[in-house]
Amino acid sequence: MSVSLSLQPRRYPEPAALLRLIKPVTWFPPMWAYLCGAVSSGAALWSEPFLVLLGIVLAGPIVCGMSQAANDWCDRHVDAINEPDRPIPSGRVPGRWGLWVALAMSALSLGVGALLGLWGFLATCAGVAAAWAYSAEPLRLKRSGWWGPGLVGLSYETLPWFTGAAILAQGLPSGPVILVALLYGIGAHGIMTLNDFKALEGDRQTGVNSLPVILGPERAARVACWAMIVPQLGVIAVLLALGAAWHAGAVGVVILAQLAAMRVLLRDPKGKAPWYNGTGIVLYVSGMMISAFALAGTGATP
């Protein structure tokens, strides 16, 4: 009998598998947050189109893509249980290619970040460090259902928002801009918690103490809902203090729509978590842009 060549391990990764490794579907949140930051600066976006476009590409395909590659490499043993068809456990990205991609994209991130000036470079350094702190030993903050989602929320929402505002304003953003960016990053903790539902079994077997593991799906879903709603109420308070009553009302309508979606989620948290991630999050990020226009209109950023 002869051994089929198809059973031999690959030497080089499949191009399609490399694209899946950096997960384009995850790029939207930081790209959107960077754009929100740019809008909140009050500067005309067309006045610095290079900085706007380069920052969006850096936040999404480069830094976020790098973080996904790093996470997949560090999670390869967990993914072999949860999702064995992923690029690394399936062998379509063989050997240490996953690690090499993550390291190369880390270097690319820092190089591109330097093109955005001091604020852009410092923010990129923070984003790269956060990505490795989340996924890699010895920190591996994703083992904690509290620290892990918190770090990701701040990295995906607060950091790119701050960066976009700082680069377009050419300086430190104002207090209201930083506070709103921080509140939306804190609220994203709930989004990240719901995202952990899909890895429940593998996390339990490999010692990753996500909130669905340590609290159970029902309690974790309730915590996630509170984590999303309370910071948005804080955003409304900030906008009212700035005199942006119409924008605050619009954010309130968005929150009411999220509460309606949350009622559906809480009937079957494990089954409805993917549905909410495709429904409630659209409402969440809509509120972000409403808030960004409110901050720009009030001149919150000098």
Side-chain angles (χ1 to χ4, degrees), residues 76-96:
R76 60 196 185 279
H77 304 303
V78 179
D79 289 340
I81 299 170
N82 288 323
E83 298 175 85
D85 65 327
R86 278 193 172 186
I88 294 176
S90 69
R92 288 177 294 128
V93 175
R96 293 182 174 269

Side-chain angles (χ1 to χ4, degrees), residues 36-115:
C36 287
V39 169
S40 72
S41 73
L45 301 188
W46 55 87
S47 66
E48 295 287 356
F50 174 77
L51 295 179
V52 173
L53 292 176
L54 186 63
I56 290 173
V57 171
L58 176 64
I62 301 178
V63 174
C64 185
M66 174 277 301
S67 72
Q68 296 301 323
N71 186 61
D72 267 26
W73 170 255
C74 297
D75 264 8
R76 60 196 185 279
H77 304 303
V78 179
D79 289 340
I81 299 170
N82 288 323
E83 298 175 85
D85 65 327
R86 278 193 172 186
I88 294 176
S90 69
R92 288 177 294 128
V93 175
R96 293 182 174 269
W97 274 96
L99 175 61
W100 297 336
V101 168
L103 293 175
M105 292 188 71
S106 296
L108 176 63
S109 298
L110 297 176
V112 174
L115 299 177

Side-chain angles (χ1 to χ4, degrees), residues 174-227:
S174 71
V177 170
I178 296 174
L179 180 55
V180 169
L182 181 61
L183 287 169
Y184 275 113
I186 293 172
H189 189 293
I191 297 172
M192 297 303 111
T193 296
L194 294 180
N195 191 56
D196 285 338
F197 275 69
K198 70 178 185 295
L200 180 58
E201 295 306 321
D203 286 349
R204 183 180 289 123
Q205 293 179 40
T206 56
V208 175
N209 293 318
S210 67
L211 292 192
V213 170
I214 61 178
L215 299 179
E218 290 75 18
R219 290 177 63 195
R222 288 195 294 271
V223 169
C225 290
W226 281 108

Side-chain angles (χ1 to χ4, degrees), residues 150-171:
L151 179 64
V152 175
L154 294 174
S155 299
Y156 273 40
E157 306 296 357
T158 302
L159 185 60
W161 185 313
F162 175 90
T163 306
I167 289 173
L168 268 291
Q170 299 182 0

